[in-house]
Amino acid sequence: MSEHANRTELEPAVEQWTLEALQEAKIGRASRAGRISSARLSEAVRHRHDQLIEGLDAPVISMSARHPWVDGGRIDMFKPGRWDTEYDLVFMSSDFAPNSASIGYGAVVAPSDGTYLVAVRFSGHETTLRLQGPWGVQTAFSATTSDHPTLTAVWTGAAGAHLNFTFLFTGGIIGYLEAIDIHLLG
């Protein structure tokens, strides 16, 4: 049997598996909730890092599907499912299907000496976001696509220092990256 014939016989089975998996997954429609309020972000930081932060200013760096490269920062993706600038979302495959997971890469240059809050806003159906950087691994869970959790990490750097981090989704089938904001903490 030729290589083409073998491939043709396997393709319907792969399509059926994908259809069955998607029917079971209850994938909802991705939505964008807008920027998180400073009060809600302060509460998330207090809960996750046991730090009380008051009066968070606007982010010094903000990246999203519409603005992946900005002064002082950039994000890039390996195998994004979809880069949707209309909804300002990056659709990222989870590790649900082997060898097809999306991986995000972030790079930031500290504009000044200080401690920075890295805040990653996302959503997804029964999926977990993993953020890995010099702080180790941080995770946060999204139960539905209507949830818009923010995963945070804290990093201290001198002016001009480089922060590199990765992020990916586990569980579920797909996750949606909404924004990555870098805040200078008082």
Side-chain angles (χ1 to χ4, degrees):
M1 200 178 280
S2 72
E3 181 182 325
H4 176 71
N6 288 336
R7 189 172 45 229
T8 304
E9 289 173 6
L10 292 176
E11 286 176 3
V14 171
E15 288 176 15
Q16 182 180 12
W17 174 83
T18 303
L19 178 60
E20 288 172 3
L22 290 174
Q23 287 172 338
E24 286 181 19
K26 302 176 189 171
I27 295 176
R29 182 175 180 194
S31 65
R32 181 91 162 135
R35 189 162 305 281
I36 189 170
S37 71
S38 63
R40 188 165 164 217
L41 185 55
S42 293
E43 178 60 26
V45 171
R46 187 191 64 74
H47 178 72
R48 178 172 286 279
H49 304 285
D50 280 335
Q51 292 182 1
L52 182 59
I53 297 171
E54 295 183 19
L56 269 178
D57 291 332
V60 293
I61 297 171
S62 186
M63 300 168 287
S64 68
R66 289 185 192 154
H67 305 284
W69 298 285
V70 297
D71 287 343
R74 68 180 186 279
I75 54 174
D76 202 355
M77 299 288 162
F78 173 73
K79 292 188 178 180
R82 179 177 175 182
W83 199 288
D84 191 324
T85 57
E86 181 177 348
Y87 287 101
D88 202 13
L89 296 170
V90 179
F91 293 41
M92 296 177 65
S93 304
S94 76
D95 61 355
F96 176 79
N99 301 319
S100 67
S102 304
I103 302 171
Y105 302 92
V108 171
V109 177
S112 61
D113 293 351
T115 300
Y116 293 88
L117 176 69
V118 178
V120 183
R121 184 81 180 261
F122 70 101
S123 68
H125 179 77
E126 295 183 3
T127 190
T128 299
L129 178 65
R130 292 175 46 93
L131 176 66
Q132 184 170 349
W135 48 78
V137 176
Q138 296 286 341
T139 62
F141 180 74
S142 177
T144 72
T145 55
S146 298
D147 294 343
H148 301 277
T150 299
L151 175 56
T152 59
V154 176
W155 173 70
T156 301
H162 291 259
L163 166 63
N164 295 295
F165 55 91
T166 60
F167 50 96
L168 59 98
F169 287 94
T170 63
I173 291 180
I174 194 165
Y176 308 97
L177 174 68
E178 297 178 10
I180 299 175
D181 293 332
I182 312 297
H183 296 266
L184 179 60
L185 300 179

